[in-house]
Amino acid sequence: MISLFAGFSIAAATFSGAFLSGIFGMAGGQIVLAVLLYFMPVSAAMTMFSALMFSSGAWRAGLWRKHIDWGISLRYVIGSVAGMGVMLMILFVPSKPVVYLGPGLTPFIGDMLPKRWRPDVTKRGMAMLCGFIAMILQIAVGGAGNVLDMFFQNSPLSRYAIVATKAFTLLFSQVMRFLYFGLAALEGGENLPVELFLVCVLLTFAGGSAAVSLLNRLTDDSFRKWTKWLIYGMSAIYVARGLWLLVMDE
């Protein structure tokens, strides 16, 4: 049973997350997931998170549909299907510390790579590799937003193309993750707060729409600059939370 305080916290995080994702195409999901994990078990939190992110991404993709790169999207989905096949053979549900530490550490590891090795989603084979890795991480560590950001931020795509294409490519991943963790939640007897979910879906639409004017005001350079700092900030928070949970479990 979700308390009133938990409900308000999740609702506020959902609106804020949709607003941030509407501007930068990232960071918002990490806020929502962190709050859901605080109040709910892993499988239930991941199931609700996937459904909310699908709603948010579908709304963003619709708002910026003329900027979607369909070639990248198709190759990403092919890679995602392969990644899902691998995870279905493993059937792994991560612990909370892993869900925090995985996405948190990934950007720092990516920045340690030599510049010539850094991923660019527009290069040959990179979109499929991105989809494959992202799908595995979506399930193995609970999220792959930071990995996806690395592939897109190193590309020459415009800010509109980045936001639109990322939103569309993630739709498939969200459906697969919803089914994966939804089954785990059912087996574990974990229930989802349906009424709260419906309210939060509407808040994703409101947050995404409110972000449109701010995205229009940004330049591509300022978009990349702010996105980079958001990635570092959210990653640091995730790593700190994951380490705290590890220490508390000992």
Side-chain angles (χ1 to χ4, degrees):
M1 183 70 178
I2 296 292
S3 67
L4 187 61
F5 174 74
F8 275 117
S9 299
I10 292 171
T14 299
F15 178 84
S16 302
F19 181 72
L20 265 183
S21 292
I23 302 171
F24 300 105
M26 52 77 63
Q30 288 179 289
I31 293 174
V32 177
L33 179 57
V35 174
L36 287 173
L37 285 170
Y38 186 83
F39 293 109
M40 301 170 66
V42 171
S43 293
M46 295 297 289
T47 303
M48 185 166 176
F49 173 67
S50 300
L52 290 176
M53 290 304 98
F54 180 89
S55 302
S56 179
W59 189 255
R60 280 200 313 281
L63 289 173
W64 304 110
R65 57 190 177 277
K66 66 179 181 180
H67 297 284
I68 295 173
D69 189 311
W70 296 106
I72 289 175
S73 300
L74 176 60
R75 294 191 293 275
Y76 177 94
V77 169
I78 292 172
S80 294
V81 171
M84 187 64 183
V86 171
M87 294 310 297
L88 284 175
M89 291 187 291
I90 299 173
L91 295 176
F92 169 73
V93 176
S95 64
K96 283 193 178 183
V98 170
V99 172
Y100 282 107
L101 289 172
L105 290 172
T106 304
F108 298 113
I109 295 172
D111 280 347
M112 294 178 186
L113 295 174
K115 190 172 183 180
R116 66 181 182 278
W117 291 354
R118 291 181 185 176
D120 175 349
V121 75
T122 62
K123 291 181 179 179
R124 185 176 181 179
M126 283 292 177
M128 282 191 286
L129 179 62
C130 178
F132 180 78
I133 294 174
M135 177 57 75
I136 288 177
L137 291 178
Q138 290 272 17
I139 296 172
V141 300
N146 287 337
V147 174
L148 201 61
D149 293 327
M150 285 194 303
F151 277 87
F152 277 89
Q153 292 305 313
N154 291 320
S155 76
L157 297 173
S158 71
R159 63 190 185 279
Y160 295 111
I162 289 175
V163 171
T165 306
K166 281 172 62 179
F168 182 80
T169 55
L170 279 173
L171 295 181
F172 177 80
S173 300
Q174 304 299 358
V175 171
M176 293 298 99
R177 188 170 58 182
F178 176 84
L179 294 174
Y180 187 95
F181 283 102
L183 290 174
L186 286 175
E187 289 180 1
E190 300 172 11
N191 297 318
L192 295 179
V194 178
E195 296 82 1
L196 176 61
F197 167 72
L198 295 176
V199 170
C200 287
V201 168
L202 296 178
L203 290 173
T204 65
F205 299 159
S209 299
V212 170
S213 61
L214 284 179
L215 181 59
N216 285 329
R217 294 177 188 175
L218 290 174
T219 64
D220 285 348
D221 287 340
S222 61
F223 171 84
R224 281 182 163 80
K225 175 184 176 182
W226 281 105
T227 299
K228 182 178 180 180
W229 284 111
L230 276 171
I231 291 173
Y232 287 154
M234 290 303 303
S235 295
I237 293 172
Y238 262 58
V239 170
R241 177 63 175 165
L243 292 175
W244 173 259
L245 290 176
L246 284 176
V247 171
M248 293 300 292
D249 285 342
E250 293 181 355

